[in-house]
Amino acid sequence: TKMTPLYIEWDPASGTRETLIQSVKEGIAAFKAEYTAYFERNKNEGDVMFEAAPRVILIPGIGMFNTGKSRANAQVSGALYHRAIAVMRGATALGSFVSLSENESYNVEYWPLELYKLTLAPAETEFSRKI
Protein backbone atom coordinates (compact mmCIF):
# COMPACT_ATOMS: atom_id res chain seq x y z
CA THR A 1 0.00 0.00 0.00
CA LYS A 2 3.10 2.23 0.19
CA MET A 3 4.01 4.08 3.38
CA THR A 4 1.11 6.55 3.14
CA PRO A 5 -2.04 6.93 1.07
CA LEU A 6 -2.63 9.81 -1.31
CA TYR A 7 -5.17 12.08 0.38
CA ILE A 8 -6.94 14.46 -1.98
CA GLU A 9 -8.12 17.70 -0.40
CA TRP A 10 -11.55 18.17 -1.96
CA ASP A 11 -14.90 19.38 -0.66
CA PRO A 12 -17.78 17.52 -2.31
CA ALA A 13 -20.20 20.31 -1.33
CA SER A 14 -18.32 23.05 -3.16
CA GLY A 15 -15.92 21.21 -5.48
CA THR A 16 -16.59 20.57 -9.13
CA ARG A 17 -15.75 17.65 -11.36
CA GLU A 18 -13.01 19.73 -12.95
CA THR A 19 -11.44 20.72 -9.62
CA LEU A 20 -11.51 17.07 -8.54
CA ILE A 21 -9.79 15.91 -11.73
CA GLN A 22 -7.16 18.64 -11.34
CA SER A 23 -6.64 17.78 -7.66
CA VAL A 24 -6.18 14.10 -8.48
CA LYS A 25 -3.65 14.85 -11.24
CA GLU A 26 -1.70 17.22 -8.99
CA GLY A 27 -1.90 14.81 -6.07
CA ILE A 28 -0.54 11.89 -8.09
CA ALA A 29 2.33 14.02 -9.43
CA ALA A 30 3.21 15.22 -5.91
CA PHE A 31 2.93 11.66 -4.53
CA LYS A 32 5.31 10.34 -7.20
CA ALA A 33 7.83 13.10 -6.48
CA GLU A 34 7.69 12.41 -2.73
CA TYR A 35 7.96 8.64 -3.26
CA THR A 36 11.05 9.17 -5.42
CA ALA A 37 12.59 11.37 -2.70
CA TYR A 38 11.66 8.73 -0.05
CA PHE A 39 13.40 6.06 -2.13
CA GLU A 40 16.51 8.22 -2.57
CA ARG A 41 16.71 8.97 1.17
CA ASN A 42 16.49 5.31 2.17
CA LYS A 43 17.87 3.21 -0.68
CA ASN A 44 20.60 0.66 -0.22
CA GLU A 45 23.15 -0.26 -2.84
CA GLY A 46 21.50 -2.23 -5.62
CA ASP A 47 17.90 -1.26 -4.78
CA VAL A 48 15.66 -0.59 -7.78
CA MET A 49 12.68 1.69 -7.20
CA PHE A 50 9.17 0.29 -7.62
CA GLU A 51 6.51 2.17 -9.52
CA ALA A 52 5.99 5.43 -7.62
CA ALA A 53 2.21 5.63 -8.13
CA PRO A 54 -0.02 5.61 -5.03
CA ARG A 55 -1.78 2.35 -4.15
CA VAL A 56 -4.44 3.95 -1.95
CA ILE A 57 -6.23 7.21 -2.83
CA LEU A 58 -8.60 8.77 -0.30
CA ILE A 59 -11.13 11.43 -1.40
CA PRO A 60 -13.54 12.96 1.15
CA GLY A 61 -17.18 12.44 0.23
CA ILE A 62 -16.31 9.87 -2.41
CA GLY A 63 -14.27 7.13 -0.78
CA MET A 64 -11.15 5.03 -1.22
CA PHE A 65 -9.69 4.03 -4.55
CA ASN A 66 -7.02 1.36 -4.89
CA THR A 67 -4.58 0.91 -7.74
CA GLY A 68 -2.29 -1.86 -8.91
CA LYS A 69 -1.05 -3.63 -11.99
CA SER A 70 -4.27 -5.67 -11.99
CA ARG A 71 -7.70 -5.67 -10.39
CA ALA A 72 -6.56 -8.41 -8.00
CA ASN A 73 -3.57 -6.33 -6.88
CA ALA A 74 -5.80 -3.29 -6.36
CA GLN A 75 -8.15 -5.41 -4.23
CA VAL A 76 -5.20 -6.59 -2.11
CA SER A 77 -4.18 -2.95 -1.54
CA GLY A 78 -7.71 -2.17 -0.38
CA ALA A 79 -7.82 -5.16 1.97
CA LEU A 80 -4.43 -4.29 3.45
CA TYR A 81 -5.43 -0.68 4.00
CA HIS A 82 -8.65 -1.73 5.74
CA ARG A 83 -6.51 -3.98 7.96
CA ALA A 84 -4.18 -1.05 8.72
CA ILE A 85 -7.20 1.05 9.74
CA ALA A 86 -8.34 -1.73 12.08
CA VAL A 87 -4.87 -1.93 13.64
CA MET A 88 -4.76 1.86 14.14
CA ARG A 89 -8.24 1.83 15.67
CA GLY A 90 -7.32 -1.02 18.02
CA ALA A 91 -4.04 0.55 19.06
CA THR A 92 -5.77 3.87 19.72
CA ALA A 93 -8.39 2.13 21.85
CA LEU A 94 -5.61 0.64 23.98
CA GLY A 95 -3.49 3.79 24.15
CA SER A 96 -1.91 5.23 21.03
CA PHE A 97 -0.79 4.17 17.58
CA VAL A 98 2.85 4.63 16.61
CA SER A 99 3.77 4.07 12.98
CA LEU A 100 7.02 2.65 11.70
CA SER A 101 9.70 5.20 10.97
CA GLU A 102 10.31 6.09 7.33
CA ASN A 103 13.43 3.93 7.21
CA GLU A 104 11.69 0.97 8.91
CA SER A 105 8.85 1.24 6.41
CA TYR A 106 11.32 1.32 3.53
CA ASN A 107 13.14 -1.74 4.88
CA VAL A 108 9.87 -3.67 4.99
CA GLU A 109 8.89 -2.55 1.48
CA TYR A 110 12.29 -3.39 -0.01
CA TRP A 111 13.05 -6.45 2.15
CA PRO A 112 14.97 -8.99 0.00
CA LEU A 113 12.58 -11.82 0.84
CA GLU A 114 9.60 -9.65 -0.18
CA LEU A 115 11.38 -8.71 -3.42
CA TYR A 116 12.03 -12.39 -4.13
CA LYS A 117 8.37 -13.23 -3.54
CA LEU A 118 7.39 -10.61 -6.12
CA THR A 119 9.58 -12.31 -8.75
CA LEU A 120 7.46 -15.46 -8.36
CA ALA A 121 4.25 -13.68 -9.39
CA PRO A 122 2.74 -14.63 -12.77
CA ALA A 123 3.63 -12.49 -15.76
CA GLU A 124 1.46 -9.46 -16.34
CA THR A 125 -1.47 -9.87 -18.72
CA GLU A 126 -2.00 -7.91 -21.92
CA PHE A 127 -4.06 -5.11 -20.35
CA SER A 128 -2.19 -4.82 -17.04
CA ARG A 129 -1.71 -1.19 -15.98
CA LYS A 130 -3.94 0.01 -18.84
CA ILE A 131 -7.44 -0.13 -17.31
Side-chain angles (χ1 to χ4, degrees):
T1 62
K2 307 274 189 216
M3 189 171 124
T4 59
L6 168 57
Y7 181 80
I8 302 294
E9 289 282 346
W10 187 72
D11 180 5
S14 62
T16 66
R17 177 179 177 265
E18 290 73 26
T19 60
L20 176 58
I21 290 169
Q22 187 62 32
S23 294
V24 169
K25 287 179 180 179
E26 290 171 1
I28 290 172
F31 187 96
K32 287 181 175 184
E34 176 50 38
Y35 186 85
T36 301
Y38 155 80
F39 178 82
E40 291 298 322
R41 285 190 302 271
N42 293 283
K43 72 180 179 180
N44 299 306
E45 187 176 335
D47 286 352
V48 176
M49 187 174 78
F50 296 142
E51 182 180 23
R55 292 288 170 250
V56 177
I57 302 171
L58 305 173
I59 305 174
I62 296 180
M64 177 175 74
F65 296 87
N66 303 104
T67 69
K69 66 182 180 179
S70 67
R71 182 173 188 260
N73 285 79
Q75 288 176 318
V76 168
S77 291
L80 289 172
Y81 198 72
H82 278 286
R83 175 59 55 196
I85 292 168
V87 168
M88 289 178 224
R89 185 178 295 129
T92 302
L94 296 173
S96 65
F97 173 77
V98 178
S99 184
L100 295 174
S101 71
E102 179 180 281
N103 188 255
E104 289 169 330
S105 179
Y106 178 89
N107 288 333
V108 169
E109 186 175 357
Y110 286 88
W111 183 35
L113 191 54
E114 181 67 20
L115 299 178
Y116 174 72
K117 182 183 84 171
L118 295 174
T119 67
L120 302 177
E124 291 187 27
T125 61
E126 180 182 358
F127 293 111
S128 288
R129 304 175 197 260
K130 298 187 189 309
I131 298 176

